[in-house]
Every structure is written in structure tokens, then in C-alpha cells.
Amino acid sequence: MARYILTLEGGEFEVSVESENKSELVEKLPELVELYRLVASRVGELGRRPTPAKRRGKSEAIEVLRHLEEKILNTNFFKQPRSTAEVRAKLKEVVGVLFQSRKVSQALGILHERGLLSRVGQKGSYKYYSR
């Protein structure tokens, strides 16, 4: 036999009624709406939990990656191995923005994973170059 569920959703809650009979479900609708309003008012009295800030735009590492791909990779800059600090300084020169060292390093790691750059040295002091 079919089972029917009617649900009213609030921001942080939902109220449902279920039945095997459609007409019984329709009869319970006013009761469901009343319960929904009661719960909504109580949630309002308790105050809403602060919602976490939503990310806006692209992450800094993705911005660095885009600038590297568009403005630096197609030059001779990576003909010799370059440290994160050197790449960061080059980005400042070309783009006019001093990005966080950590974000530049992340972008260089992504380019290495994609096979666009090779690297030499030990972890923490890699130097990147084009193949």
C-alpha cells in the first residue's frame, strides 16, 4: 500500500505528517501548518546560529595559478630553477600584487602535478623550472 508524506521545511527544521490515506493527509494539513508555525516561532526565540561565511570569488592560490599560466609560463622565466620567493617577486613585478608565499607555493605544486614544471631540491626548498 502507498504511504504519503507531507513535509514543510524551515531553514533549520522540517515538520512532516504521513499517512496511507490521501484524504487523512489533507485533513491533517491545518494541524501540520500550526505545528510548523509553533516550531518556527520557537526557533526564532532561540535565535539563529551564526551561519559560516560563504566563500566569495576564487581562492588566492587559483588566482596565482591563473597569473602564472597566462603571464609567466610562456616566457623564459622558468628556464632556470626558481624558488617560491623568486616567483613571488616576479608576480609582484608582472601583476602588481604581492601574493602570500604559501599560495604561490601551492600554485607551483599544482603546476608540478600537471607536468608543466619540474622541481629540484628538498621539501621546503624546491626550485621549479620548465622542462
Side-chain angles (χ1 to χ4, degrees):
M1 179 159 242
R3 186 157 203 79
Y4 302 98
I5 300 172
L6 182 60
T7 302
L8 296 176
E9 294 183 20
E12 297 178 9
F13 65 92
E14 61 182 43
V15 180
S16 298
V17 64
E18 60 183 82
S19 176
E20 293 177 359
N21 184 322
K22 287 182 192 179
S23 60
E24 183 182 16
L25 196 63
V26 171
E27 289 173 17
K28 290 184 178 183
L29 183 58
E31 185 181 330
L32 181 66
V33 170
E34 182 182 334
L35 181 59
Y36 175 86
R37 288 181 179 151
L38 178 64
V39 171
S41 69
R42 294 275 170 87
V43 167
E45 289 171 10
L46 295 174
R48 294 193 173 264
R49 285 183 265 151
T51 55
K54 292 182 180 170
R55 290 180 60 179
R56 293 181 213 175
K58 297 177 182 171
S59 74
E60 188 173 336
I62 299 303
E63 283 295 305
V64 171
L65 184 62
R66 183 176 60 83
H67 290 304
L68 286 172
E69 289 176 326
E70 292 176 1
K71 299 175 180 162
I72 298 177
L73 274 181
N74 57 359
T75 68
N76 291 328
F77 181 73
F78 284 107
K79 289 296 180 198
Q80 62 184 18
R82 302 291 185 162
S83 68
T84 299
E86 290 172 309
V87 175
R88 186 175 182 231
K90 183 69 172 177
L91 283 164
K92 170 73 171 145
E93 176 187 319
V94 172
V95 181
V97 177
L98 188 60
F99 292 103
Q100 293 179 38
S101 177
R102 185 170 56 99
K103 300 304 179 178
V104 174
S105 180
Q106 283 178 323
L108 290 168
I110 291 169
L111 291 172
H112 172 70
E113 287 174 5
R114 291 182 184 172
L116 297 173
L117 291 177
S118 296
R119 65 184 179 200
V120 294
Q122 295 180 355
K123 187 175 182 178
S125 61
Y126 289 128
K127 291 194 175 199
Y128 294 85
Y129 64 96
S130 57
R131 298 178 178 185

